[in-house]
């Protein structure tokens, strides 16, 4: 009799159906596992054996050292570029902007001095005016080519380029009328001075402030601490120390040459980074505090002296025709007094900032010259108020050698300030280049040592792995 089998009823006992294929992740083809799942499984199995753990440790150490090197390169590159900009771009542009301001102010002073001399205008006075105008024009062209995308600076350069020819045209008209003995020459000169004080000099001041702002931004970028690099270096060192301690506890071997070399390379990079930036920060701080700040004060003092001299000349030229709105006194004499107060304050600050005898000496000479200038100006003003124009003119202009005049005292002040500016510019350049030099070699050194450290870590772990073969 044939025996037949029947499938068990649902819910009943009987034979258990064979197990199906293992479950697969959603979206995976039936019967196949994803590469990710297989990789995780292999990593899990590897982590259960010492060789597998060593491979993971070696890869992690090499990665940490390379991350340290990469972050270091990124931060060092940014700070080196900023320091290079301080030395080679932003500070020269700031200095050029200050020179544009000084040249314009000096041209205004020279033009008024030549007007006072009239037909006796000396060739040196005329050449000084022409040199100032040529220097300002040349620096404007250079600034336009090098200022980059700074829209504020470009706007001021455009304004200066448009207004400077108008100013020089007014000066030529004033000179021509003055040589013919026409009173209209004084009016042209006063209008030219108004153009200078209300259009050109404010634009030059804004250009100087914009370029100095860029300089200070580069200062801040070059001096900022590479915190990410230092943190990455400390993490890499901590991992290397942990790996060597683990190796010692498992093998009783004090040193692993590969790991020791990787640790030494990381320590060198970390110390080089910290010390290099410390020295660079110190030098750049010195350049800013003892160079750039002194330069700014001296530039302001020099401009105040030039404007004071122009005001003194225009006081005699205008003969009381232009009054100050608030005091009803002679506008140019009021301007002279205001500028001399600014000059006194600037010289006091410059003397305080000067950090060596070579910097203090010209500032002290300038301060002595200002005292003499004030005395001679007072004598000239007294003679002018009494109606003795010729005596007043002699006190301001002097004889052909300009002796015993306020002009001679002004020349002393101007030459002394020029010497002080040159000294502080040299001090700035020296300190800033020292700061840039402290960062020299860091890019190449960091890249090379990071690669050496990563390779040494892998070799050190490889030496341990060879013991299991």
């Amino acid at each position: 009799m044939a025996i037949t089998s029947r499938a068990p009823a649902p819910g009943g006992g009987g034979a258990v159906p064979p197990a199906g294929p293992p479950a697969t992740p959603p979206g995976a083809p039936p019967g196949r596992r994803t590469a990710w799942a297989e990789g995780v499984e292999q990593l899990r199995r590897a982590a259960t054996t010492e060789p597998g753990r060593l491979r993971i440790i070696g890869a992690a150490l090499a990665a940490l050292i390379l991350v340290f090197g990469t972050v270091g390169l990124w931060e060092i590159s940014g700070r080196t570029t900023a320091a290079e900009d301080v030395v080679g771009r932003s500070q020269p542009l700031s200095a050029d902007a200050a020179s544009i301001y000084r040249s314009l102010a000096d041209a205004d002073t020279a033009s008024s001095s030549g007007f006072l001399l009239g037909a006796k205008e000396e060739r040196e006075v005329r050449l000084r005016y022409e040199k100032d105008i040529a220097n300002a024009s040349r620096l404007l062209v250079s600034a336009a080519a090098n200022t980059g995308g700074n829209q504020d600076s470009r706007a001021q350069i455009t304004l200066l380029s448009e207004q400077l020819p108008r100013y020089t045209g007014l000066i030529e008209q004033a000179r021509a009328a003055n040589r013919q003995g026409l009173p209209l020459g004084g009016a042209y000169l006063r209008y030219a001075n108004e153009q200078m004080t209300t259009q050109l000099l404010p634009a030059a001041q804004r250009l100087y402030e914009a370029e100095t702002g860029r300089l200070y931004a580069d200062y801040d970028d070059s001096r900022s601490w590479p915190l990410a690099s230092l943190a990455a270096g400390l993490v890499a060192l901590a991992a290397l120390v942990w790996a060597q301690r683990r190796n010692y506890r498992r093998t009783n071997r004090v040193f692993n040459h590969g790991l020791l070399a990787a640790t030494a390379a990381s320590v060198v990079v970390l110390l080089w980074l910290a010390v290099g930036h410390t020295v660079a920060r110190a030098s750049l701080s010195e350049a800013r505090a003892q160079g750039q700040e002194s330069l700014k004060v001296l530039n302001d003092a020099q401009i105040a002296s030039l404007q004071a001299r122009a005001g003194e000349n225009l006081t005699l030229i205008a003969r009381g025709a232009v009054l100050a709105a608030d005091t009803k006194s002679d506008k140019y004499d009021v301007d002279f007094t205001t500028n001399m107060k600014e000059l006194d304050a600037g010289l006091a600050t410059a003397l305080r900032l000067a950090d060596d005898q070579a910097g203090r000496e010209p500032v002290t000479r300038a301060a002595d010259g200002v005292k003499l200038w004030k005395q001679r100006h007072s004598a000239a003003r007294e003679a002018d108020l009494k109606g003795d124009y010729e005596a007043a003119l002699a006190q301001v202009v002097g004889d052909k050698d300009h002796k015993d005049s306020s002009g001679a005292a002004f020349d002393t002040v101007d030459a002394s300030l020029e010497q002080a500016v040159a000294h502080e510019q040299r001090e700035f350049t020296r300190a800033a280049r020292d700061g840039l030099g402290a960062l020299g070699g860091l890019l190449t050194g960091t890249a090379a040592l990071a690669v050496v450290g990563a390779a040494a870590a892998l070799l050190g772990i490889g030496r341990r792995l060879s013991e299991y073969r």
Side-chain angles (χ1 to χ4, degrees):
M1 178 176 178
I3 301 175
T4 61
S5 62
R6 294 185 302 170
V16 178
T24 58
R32 295 181 59 188
R33 303 177 65 188
T34 63
W36 171 258
E38 290 179 356
V40 171
E41 180 61 23
Q42 290 176 2
L43 188 61
R44 186 188 65 79
R45 286 198 302 267
T48 62
T49 65
E50 181 62 13
R53 284 191 287 268
L54 286 173
R55 290 188 180 94
I56 294 172
I57 291 171
L61 290 176
L64 285 173
I65 295 171
L66 290 176
V67 167
F68 171 35
T70 301
V71 175
L73 288 174
W74 170 59
E75 291 197 315
I76 294 165
S77 177
R79 282 147 185 78
T80 302
T81 300
E84 289 173 345
D85 285 343
V86 167
V87 174
R89 184 184 63 87
S90 53
Q91 202 283 329
L93 281 174
S94 176
D96 284 351
S99 185
I100 290 171
Y101 198 129
R102 287 197 307 271
S103 295
L104 293 174
D106 192 56
D108 199 46
T109 300
S111 64
S112 62
S113 297
F115 191 93
L116 277 178
L117 292 169
K120 298 179 181 179
E121 179 183 9
E122 299 175 3
R123 178 174 174 79
E124 289 77 8
V125 176
R126 181 63 182 173
L127 288 178
R128 179 170 180 170
Y129 165 80
E130 292 175 350
K131 180 182 177 181
D132 286 331
I133 295 299
N135 188 53
S137 300
R138 177 183 60 82
L139 291 175
L140 282 172
V141 173
S142 176
N146 296 301
T147 193
N150 191 321
Q151 295 302 319
D152 189 22
S153 294
R154 288 194 170 277
Q156 305 313 319
I157 291 171
T158 300
L159 177 60
L160 287 166
S161 300
E162 292 174 351
Q163 294 295 327
L164 187 56
R166 297 177 185 176
Y167 170 80
T168 56
L170 289 169
I171 292 297
E172 293 308 315
Q173 288 177 304
R175 292 181 73 246
N178 189 44
R179 286 183 173 181
Q180 298 175 28
L182 300 176
L184 189 60
Y188 275 121
L189 187 67
R190 292 195 300 271
Y191 185 55
N193 174 261
E194 182 182 351
Q195 289 291 103
M196 177 64 74
T197 56
T198 61
Q199 297 287 332
L200 289 164
L201 291 182
Q205 178 68 26
R206 290 191 294 270
L207 175 63
Y208 174 65
E209 291 173 352
E211 295 301 333
T212 302
R214 291 176 63 185
L215 170 61
Y216 287 157
D218 287 337
Y219 265 127
D220 293 339
D221 290 343
S222 64
R223 293 176 63 253
S224 59
W225 279 105
L227 297 179
S229 302
L230 296 175
L234 291 174
V235 170
L237 278 178
L240 285 166
V241 170
W242 172 84
Q244 291 176 89
R245 183 172 180 273
R246 180 182 185 276
N247 183 62
Y248 170 71
R249 293 180 65 182
R250 289 176 177 268
T251 65
N252 286 327
R253 294 172 184 169
V254 178
F255 296 118
N256 178 291
H257 293 161
L259 294 180
L260 188 62
T263 303
S266 299
V267 168
V268 169
V269 174
L270 193 62
L271 290 177
W272 193 356
L273 194 64
V275 173
H277 272 277
T278 300
V279 175
R281 278 173 60 89
S283 295
L284 289 168
S285 296
E286 179 185 352
R288 177 170 180 170
Q290 299 179 5
Q292 181 60 29
E293 293 300 327
S294 293
L295 281 172
K296 185 177 185 304
V297 171
L298 289 169
N299 284 328
D300 291 343
Q302 196 168 24
I303 290 166
S305 71
L306 292 168
Q307 291 180 325
R309 179 60 178 171
E312 183 178 43
N313 291 337
L314 286 165
T315 301
L316 287 179
I317 294 170
R319 307 290 297 275
V322 183
L323 300 179
D326 53 346
T327 64
K328 302 302 181 183
S329 301
D330 187 288
K331 174 186 181 299
Y332 300 114
D333 191 51
V334 172
D335 290 345
F336 172 84
T337 303
T338 301
N339 285 311
M340 291 300 278
K341 289 180 180 178
E342 293 177 359
L343 177 56
D344 284 334
L347 290 176
T349 303
L351 195 58
R352 177 174 54 81
L353 291 175
D355 61 332
D356 57 10
Q357 190 62 26
R360 284 189 288 270
E361 283 182 358
V363 178
T364 302
R365 283 199 306 272
D368 293 339
V370 168
K371 293 177 182 177
L372 186 59
W373 185 2
K374 288 179 180 179
Q375 294 172 3
R376 292 173 178 175
H377 173 79
S378 297
R381 189 65 182 144
E382 182 179 355
D384 189 33
L385 292 175
K386 290 179 179 179
D388 192 348
Y389 176 79
E390 293 301 325
L393 183 62
Q395 288 284 347
V396 172
V397 177
D399 56 20
K400 66 177 183 178
D401 295 325
H402 301 290
K403 293 181 179 179
D404 300 326
S405 66
S406 63
F410 162 75
D411 289 342
T412 299
V413 173
D414 189 58
S416 298
L417 287 174
E418 193 68 33
Q419 182 181 351
V421 167
H423 171 75
E424 295 301 336
Q425 182 65 54
R426 290 192 297 270
E427 289 292 293
F428 167 84
T429 302
R430 176 193 57 76
R433 285 180 176 170
D434 287 346
L436 178 60
L439 298 175
L442 258 177
L443 279 172
T444 303
T446 298
L449 289 172
V451 172
V452 168
L458 291 176
L459 289 174
I461 295 298
R463 182 65 181 271
R464 281 284 292 122
L465 284 171
S466 67
E467 298 172 2
Y468 289 88
R469 295 171 185 169

